[in-house]
Amino acid sequence: FFIVNSVFISVLIPTFNRSDDLRNCLKSVSDQDWTVSYEIIISENDHSNERNTRKVLEDFSMLPIKLFIQKKNLGMFGNWNFLVEKANGEYFTLLNDDDILLPTWATIVTKIDGRQMLGVRALENTPTNRSRSCENDSEHIFKKYYTK
């Protein structure tokens, strides 16, 4: 393993009218021990929730967040694709609003070879995602989208 110290990581967060989940998700990102540059890009897919989403972001003003409010619902996959297009990082993670990063995620991904980054488990189970398999979802996403 080697330290990846010049990497720029994009944390992509699609959301749809779930302000409480988004708050928990952002807390898990802010609690990371970041040693590399990163950005957080959020796409709110429900324009009627703009006010609530902006209210949540007020508590995270110290984070490098870019917010996009979709005027038209893009659907789940459309929202993911939108975020991937906006990402500036050499690497990115797609972190749904009801997911939280493992406490040591940023430390782990900055110490491994980029070819191995796709295998890093990023998520903890939360009440809203416990019924689905995060690892299977992630594997599908990585194979399809992580060829940027």
Side-chain angles (χ1 to χ4, degrees):
F1 297 121
F2 64 90
I3 303 283
V4 181
N5 55 11
S6 62
V7 168
F8 185 70
I9 297 175
S10 296
V11 178
L12 310 178
I13 305 175
T15 188
F16 184 86
N17 196 16
R18 294 195 292 206
S19 301
D20 290 337
D21 286 336
L22 179 61
R23 180 181 311 282
N24 293 331
C25 178
L26 286 171
K27 173 111 173 61
S28 78
V29 175
S30 70
D31 287 347
Q32 298 294 310
D33 183 20
W34 289 100
T35 58
V36 296
S37 298
Y38 69 101
E39 67 180 348
I40 301 167
I41 306 175
I42 299 170
S43 177
E44 171 58 76
N45 211 12
D46 178 9
H47 73 281
S48 69
N49 195 49
E50 178 176 0
R51 184 176 180 189
N52 293 333
T53 300
R54 290 190 185 281
K55 182 78 173 146
V56 168
L57 297 188
E58 288 174 8
D59 294 337
F60 298 96
S61 61
M62 72 300 236
L63 297 178
I65 295 175
K66 295 177 191 170
L67 173 65
F68 294 91
I69 305 293
Q70 303 303 332
K71 296 195 184 316
K72 177 183 170 197
N73 186 323
L74 303 176
M76 182 173 67
F77 296 111
N79 207 16
W80 290 354
N81 288 336
F82 174 84
L83 286 164
V84 169
E85 289 296 317
K86 295 297 181 186
N88 296 305
E90 295 140 279
Y91 299 100
F92 64 90
T93 187
L94 186 62
L95 186 64
N96 292 309
D97 60 1
D98 64 342
D99 296 329
I100 56 176
L101 288 175
L102 293 169
T104 57
W105 181 83
T107 302
I108 293 168
V109 298
T110 57
K111 290 183 180 177
I112 61 175
D113 184 327
R115 294 174 304 238
Q116 298 172 349
M117 289 184 82
L118 298 182
V120 176
R121 184 166 176 249
L123 309 176
E124 280 188 4
N125 282 331
T126 62
T128 53
N129 75 13
R130 214 169 259 138
S131 64
R132 62 186 169 91
S133 169
C134 296
E135 292 174 26
N136 289 339
D137 287 351
S138 297
E139 182 179 332
H140 171 74
I141 294 163
F142 290 140
K143 286 180 181 174
K144 188 166 184 176
Y145 297 106
Y146 279 43
T147 57
K148 185 173 178 165

